[in-house]
Amino acid sequence: METFEQIWESSRTNSLSWMYPAATWCGAGILVALSVIKNRWLRRIGKLAAIVGFALLATMLSAQEIQEKWRLRREWAELHPAQMTEDGFQALTVDGANLTLGPLIYGFQAFLLFLGIAVVLSILRALIISRRKDTIADPDDDQAHTEIDARFSDNPYHPPNVPT
């Protein structure tokens, strides 16, 4: 037979525990996918919407997970009142801050995670674009160095602006 302490620990991971990590991984994947959009404003608006939307989704899913955890504990306590100690009953009633602050903390954590991912992806995008611009030679620059201005040529028959 299980004790309340065992139920307390085993209820930390319940049937809804997979949803919060799934939301954070999906949000991170969506942010990576949005990074390849060429239109700057569409990319920024998409990332902002994804950050806010997935942070809210993570908050709601963590609230459901925490409520399930407390429901399992409460049901076990109601079914086994003889095995409950005074500390067990007190833990069920006193630790209610987890129900209200837990989802907010998890939601803020997800928001910061998504924001950090978006910043890192933006920095990587800027580095890749600047490196790409450095490696691609501008054809106008090459022609500017090879062209001869007819005003400065000693040859009167040399056509203007023709590379030598």
Side-chain angles (χ1 to χ4, degrees):
M1 175 145 307
E2 292 181 313
T3 64
F4 182 69
E5 288 77 23
Q6 290 171 331
I7 293 296
W8 187 271
E9 290 301 318
S10 67
S11 66
R12 290 181 192 267
T13 55
N14 52 53
S15 63
L16 302 178
S17 295
W18 63 272
M19 292 192 305
Y20 176 79
T24 55
W25 280 105
C26 287
I30 294 292
L31 287 173
V32 170
L34 288 172
S35 294
V36 299
I37 295 176
K38 294 205 183 280
N39 186 332
R40 178 176 50 180
W41 289 107
L42 186 60
R43 183 178 61 248
R44 288 180 179 175
I45 290 171
K47 281 185 177 182
L48 183 64
I51 290 170
V52 171
F54 277 100
L56 289 174
L57 179 66
T59 304
M60 291 187 313
L61 294 177
S62 68
Q64 290 177 356
E65 176 187 356
I66 291 171
Q67 287 174 354
E68 176 68 10
K69 170 177 63 175
W70 285 96
R71 185 191 64 78
L72 291 172
R73 293 172 179 174
R74 197 171 39 253
E75 278 183 3
W76 190 91
E78 289 172 357
L79 291 175
H80 304 92
Q83 295 178 346
M84 289 296 293
T85 63
E86 186 63 35
D87 290 339
F89 280 121
Q90 191 174 17
L92 280 175
T93 57
V94 173
D95 200 19
N98 191 5
L99 284 169
T100 55
L101 291 179
L104 295 176
I105 291 169
Y106 281 123
F108 187 68
Q109 177 184 359
F111 176 77
L112 290 178
L113 176 72
F114 296 143
L115 194 62
I117 290 172
V119 167
V120 167
L121 289 172
S122 297
I123 291 171
L124 286 175
R125 182 178 177 86
L127 288 174
I128 290 171
I129 289 175
S130 69
R131 191 165 263 220
R132 197 179 298 163
K133 285 182 181 177
D134 289 343
T135 58
I136 297 175
D138 190 12
D140 294 335
D141 289 342
D142 292 339
Q143 289 178 359
H145 296 295
T146 59
E147 292 178 359
I148 297 176
D149 193 0
R151 296 178 301 191
F152 301 112
S153 176
D154 292 335
N155 185 352
Y157 299 109
H158 189 274
N161 298 327
V162 176
T164 57

